[in-house]
Amino acid sequence: MVFGRHLNKYYLKYAWMLVLGIASLILVDFFQLLTPRIYNLVVNALTYGTVNIDGAEVPFTMDILLTKICAPMLIIIFVMLAGRFLWRVCFFGASIRVVTDMRSEMFDHCKDLSQQFYNVNKVGDLMSLFTNDLDTIEDCFGSGILMAADALCLGAMAVVKMVRMNPLLTLFSMLPMVFLFAISTVVGKSMRKKWDRRQAQFSKISDFSQESFSGIAVIKAFVREYLELAAFDRLNKDNENANVDFVKTSTLLRVFVTLFEESVIGVILGYGGYLVYVGTFNAGELIEFIGYFTSIVWPILAIAELVDMSSRGKASLGRISKLLDTPQDVVDAEGVEAPETIHGKIEFKDLTWRYPGANHDNLHNVSFKIEAGENIGIIGKTGSGKTTVCDLILRTYNVPDGTVFVDDIDINKIPIRTVREFAAYVPQDNFLFSDTIAENIAFASDSGDMALIENAARIAGVDDDINGFPLKYETVLGERGVTVSGGQKQRISIARAVMKDASILIMDDSVSAVDTDTERRILGELRELRKGKTTILIAHRVSTIEQMDKILYMDRGRVLGFGTHEELMETCPEFRKTVELQRLEDKTEQADSVHASAEQGGGENA
Ligand code: ADP
């Protein structure tokens, strides 16, 4: 059994099931403790030919066999069967429901955690919370309550019966229990630490596996399979050691429990045998006493198991609580008001900003104004802050008041959800879900209309590719969309954003994997489609964004120029230099390819 802030409310929520379970458990325990009395009758009947019924010694007859032994035994068996079924349904049913609720609560909490949380927490660690740790809580809740209740009810009732029969013999048989408790407490503490280590090793393994499978292409390309295998073996070995270490301690505890059980039976047989010898007990009574004692062996085992289970449960609940207590740091400020619509005007006013936990500013005095409906290209070297600017427009991180405005309203005064609802985003990694292409394209839109999906695919220039697949739009993409090429993935991501038809469209380096002709066609289609709506396109090549209404030129977190291509050519020397450099590169590439084909032609002629 385990308690904690995030779990206690479920004890209340499912109290009715627990109460019903405990009631049937008490009933079962009560009936179970009637059997030693029947053993007593049977043994005495066989030994002395008489049985003690309501204090009177009477001869053992067929009538007594049927009414005092067989009939009660049948009733006991029936009640125990029904009761056991009921408490199993109640305890295990409640634990499954609790874990289902907790899983939903965790997922709900996770979905609201900021991007920063996912930047610093590994997926493998999170996954082990949702699997291993929740399984442990399920065990603790169901089996834990059962063990605690059973240990208490069965243990107490059996001890009362034993004391009534012979207090001194009961005392002798209970003494080793004190040692057992002492040992369980000490060992339990050490087991909790070991369980923590075991979980940490499991997290490492699941994280490593997940990363290896995601990055399998890179591993193969760099022929790192054997090194990865060696690293995995090391982790696997560490995991094995942590498990063996845990199992050793828990086995030690079990050995002590068995030792306790055997030694107590030894005491009962020794002292009980003496009592039979001096005539205080008869044979049936000794058997009855042993019957009660064996009934409490399970509760005693349960206590030891409970100590072990609670240690694991506490550790798991601790980790889950840490997740549930992680503050949702990117949240709406008080008094935010959702505008009816967002037209797409965006303004940055002298924003200096750094990523949470970073030790230097990533953006310096960034200012620019995008009018609603404008097409904007953002260009600059890698790491110059282009993605950061787009992330801040989407409110992926917090920004200071008075620095970022949407439709002239401070972005902090608009609900985050509203900002994102009016925006569509094509991220750099073009993540696709393991679902059909149609579902992927319709992901952000309320409509599953095939005509709209096909139109979005046409605008993104991926319709021909999709129609070339045997299942066309019903093609199911592999995990992270690996069954399609990088360029196809990129265009499906564009189609997904196009389908949303949002006031603001942000495309982060979204045409880098397509050829120049397709790029031109996609951009032309987008220009037509998005007339009157804001479009922001991050690109590496000036030629991609040359035709845009304005270009934002960034360098090391600063805006060095903002204006039309012509304006920047005149006013921004760094931009001019980039353009000239790229033109020179293009010319060199063209000259190289002409040279190469001439050489190839010459070679063929010769
Ligand atoms: P660009 O899109 O122009 O290539 P980014 O906007 O991605 O550049 O990055 C700008 C700067 O911010 C870089 O120095 C980068 O290392 C840093 N950066 C990006 N993401 C994070 C992050 N999650 N945490 C800390 N620093 C980051």
Side-chain angles (χ1 to χ4, degrees):
M1 240 170 129
V2 60
F3 294 97
R5 198 161 49 80
H6 291 288
L7 192 60
N8 293 349
K9 57 181 179 246
Y10 295 114
Y11 285 98
L12 280 180
K13 183 171 177 188
Y14 296 107
W16 67 272
M17 287 182 92
L18 301 180
V19 169
L20 193 63
I22 290 173
S24 54
L25 189 77
I26 293 174
L27 193 73
V28 168
D29 290 349
F30 178 79
F31 274 78
Q32 184 179 336
L33 288 178
L34 296 179
T35 45
R37 171 80 189 133
I38 293 175
Y39 298 161
N40 177 346
L41 293 183
V42 173
V43 169
N44 282 346
L46 296 177
T47 316
Y48 312 113
T50 58
V51 286
N52 188 316
I53 304 289
D54 301 329
E57 283 297 323
V58 292
F60 180 56
T61 59
M62 182 57 90
D63 187 41
I64 287 191
L65 176 67
L66 290 176
T67 56
K68 301 291 178 190
I69 294 174
C70 295
M73 230 19 227
L74 281 175
I75 295 171
I76 289 170
I77 291 168
F78 174 77
V79 172
M80 282 176 63
L81 269 178
R84 280 188 176 152
F85 176 76
L86 191 60
W87 63 242
R88 275 202 161 80
V89 169
C90 290
F91 291 137
F92 299 134
S95 65
I96 291 170
R97 284 169 200 219
V98 166
V99 166
T100 307
D101 287 356
M102 275 190 102
R103 193 175 286 123
S104 297
E105 187 184 343
M106 285 160 68
F107 193 81
D108 189 37
H109 184 75
C110 284
K111 81 173 185 346
D112 293 328
L113 290 174
S114 66
Q115 184 58 44
Q116 184 60 18
F117 173 83
Y118 293 99
N119 291 343
V120 295
N121 284 284
K122 292 184 170 178
V123 176
D125 288 344
L126 288 176
M127 288 312 296
S128 68
L129 292 182
F130 278 84
T131 50
N132 256 17
D133 286 311
L134 274 182
D135 285 349
T136 311
I137 299 289
E138 186 175 331
D139 267 359
C140 283
F141 202 90
S143 313
I145 297 178
L146 161 70
M147 285 172 185
D150 210 20
L152 219 68
C153 296
L154 193 60
M157 283 196 254
V159 169
V160 167
K161 291 200 178 221
M162 286 162 75
V163 170
R164 272 199 200 146
M165 288 188 77
N166 193 306
L168 197 59
L169 185 55
T170 310
L171 185 69
F172 284 159
S173 38
M174 288 293 112
L175 269 184
M177 197 164 171
V178 181
F179 293 109
L180 185 74
F181 261 116
I183 290 164
S184 306
T185 319
V186 176
V187 178
K189 266 191 194 146
S190 127
M191 276 173 68
R192 187 168 161 189
K193 281 192 198 130
K194 290 178 187 200
W195 181 257
D196 263 342
R197 209 185 121 218
R198 185 175 178 253
Q199 290 295 86
Q201 287 304 334
F202 180 81
S203 285
K204 278 190 195 164
I205 282 217
S206 73
D207 207 52
F208 188 89
S209 318
Q210 138 114 29
E211 212 155 77
S212 302
F213 296 141
S214 303
I216 193 75
V218 180
I219 294 170
K220 281 181 187 290
F222 285 91
V223 206
R224 305 287 289 181
E225 290 98 327
Y226 284 106
L227 286 173
E228 285 289 304
L229 184 65
F232 185 83
D233 277 347
R234 272 196 302 277
L235 279 181
N236 208 11
K237 190 75 198 158
D238 289 348
N239 186 45
E240 182 193 330
N241 290 342
N243 271 295
V244 168
D245 200 24
F246 177 80
V247 171
K248 265 188 201 161
T249 318
S250 81
T251 310
L252 193 72
L253 188 62
R254 275 164 214 280
V255 168
F256 273 117
V257 172
T258 318
L259 196 70
F260 157 81
E261 184 189 347
E262 301 298 334
S263 59
V264 175
I265 294 218
V267 170
I268 296 175
L269 283 178
Y271 185 65
Y274 166 76
L275 291 179
V276 174
Y277 175 72
V278 294
T280 316
F281 259 14
N282 60 33
E285 281 168 335
L286 182 59
I287 294 297
E288 185 181 342
F289 192 91
I290 292 178
Y292 294 136
F293 176 74
T294 46
S295 307
I296 61 165
V297 170
W298 147 242
I300 290 162
L301 281 175
I303 289 174
E305 180 79 24
L306 202 64
V307 173
D308 165 5
M309 191 181 270
S310 306
S311 341
R312 285 186 273 136
K314 267 186 207 154
S316 289
L317 187 63
R319 273 188 296 275
I320 290 176
S321 301
K322 197 171 156 213
L323 170 76
L324 290 172
D325 290 336
T326 306
Q328 296 169 351
D329 47 352
V330 180
V331 285
D332 288 334
E334 286 218 349
V336 288
E337 249 178 68
E340 248 170 48
T341 185
I342 283 182
H343 298 100
K345 181 175 175 185
I346 298 162
E347 186 174 2
F348 274 53
K349 277 190 193 165
D350 199 23
L351 171 66
T352 296
W353 188 86
R354 66 174 66 179
Y355 279 95
N359 53 13
H360 63 274
D361 291 338
N362 299 97
L363 295 180
H364 307 269
N365 310 98
V366 170
S367 295
F368 61 86
K369 194 193 286 181
I370 301 172
E371 294 300 337
E374 276 185 337
N375 279 329
I376 303 294
I378 306 185
I379 195 160
K381 289 193 193 105
T382 306
S384 57
K386 304 181 293 293
T387 303
T388 308
V389 163
C390 295
D391 276 343
L392 296 184
I393 297 174
L394 291 167
R395 268 291 260 119
T396 308
Y397 299 94
N398 289 322
V399 286
D401 286 343
T403 52
V404 180
F405 294 82
V406 172
D407 285 0
D408 294 321
I409 310 170
D410 190 326
I411 201 165
N412 289 339
K413 299 221 164 80
I414 308 174
I416 296 171
R417 213 184 145 74
T418 311
V419 175
R420 294 180 191 164
E421 257 166 11
F422 283 94
Y425 181 44
V426 186
Q428 219 166 6
D429 75 346
N430 300 300
F431 178 83
L432 297 178
F433 293 94
S434 319
D435 206 336
T436 62
I437 294 180
E439 290 290 343
N440 265 290
I441 296 180
F443 176 72
S445 136
D446 296 331
S447 159
D449 186 343
M450 264 327 279
L452 292 177
I453 293 174
E454 284 172 22
N455 188 44
R458 187 188 58 74
I459 290 166
V462 70
D463 51 341
D464 284 345
D465 301 58
I466 297 173
N467 285 323
F469 298 139
L471 291 176
K472 299 187 168 35
Y473 284 82
E474 289 311 304
T475 307
V476 176
L477 302 174
E479 204 191 356
R480 297 178 68 88
V482 287
T483 50
V484 288
S485 73
Q488 287 165 337
K489 225 165 122 179
Q490 217 172 39
R491 281 172 288 148
I492 295 173
S493 298
I494 297 176
R496 174 172 63 192
V498 165
M499 179 90 182
K500 190 174 173 191
D501 195 25
S503 309
I504 301 169
L505 169 64
I506 297 173
M507 298 166 73
D508 192 348
D509 207 10
S510 306
V511 281
S512 57
V514 296
D515 59 73
T516 329
D517 280 346
T518 316
E519 174 187 303
R520 210 168 290 137
R521 197 153 53 86
I522 297 172
L523 294 180
E525 290 279 359
L526 279 177
R527 207 171 301 123
E528 272 305 302
L529 177 85
R530 297 202 46 84
K531 269 194 182 137
K533 291 180 180 146
T534 308
T535 305
I536 299 172
L537 173 65
I538 295 180
H540 279 291
R541 304 212 50 85
V542 179
S543 56
T544 311
I545 52 164
E546 215 168 356
Q547 303 296 323
M548 296 271 182
D549 296 330
K550 280 182 192 152
I551 294 169
L552 182 72
Y553 182 75
M554 296 194 69
D555 187 45
R556 279 172 281 178
R558 290 175 202 280
V559 174
L560 295 191
F562 184 55
T564 62
H565 184 261
E566 291 70 29
E567 281 167 359
L568 287 193
M569 286 299 277
E570 274 179 25
T571 57
C572 180
E574 292 86 356
F575 178 75
R576 198 167 50 238
K577 214 166 131 195
T578 307
V579 173
E580 281 161 5
L581 210 67
Q582 288 192 0
R583 280 187 188 152
L584 196 67
E585 276 170 14
D586 290 347
K587 271 190 194 149
T588 319
E589 261 174 38
Q590 271 170 9
D592 280 352
S593 64
V594 169
H595 189 65
S597 53
E599 262 190 4
Q600 205 180 9
E604 276 163 13
N605 291 341

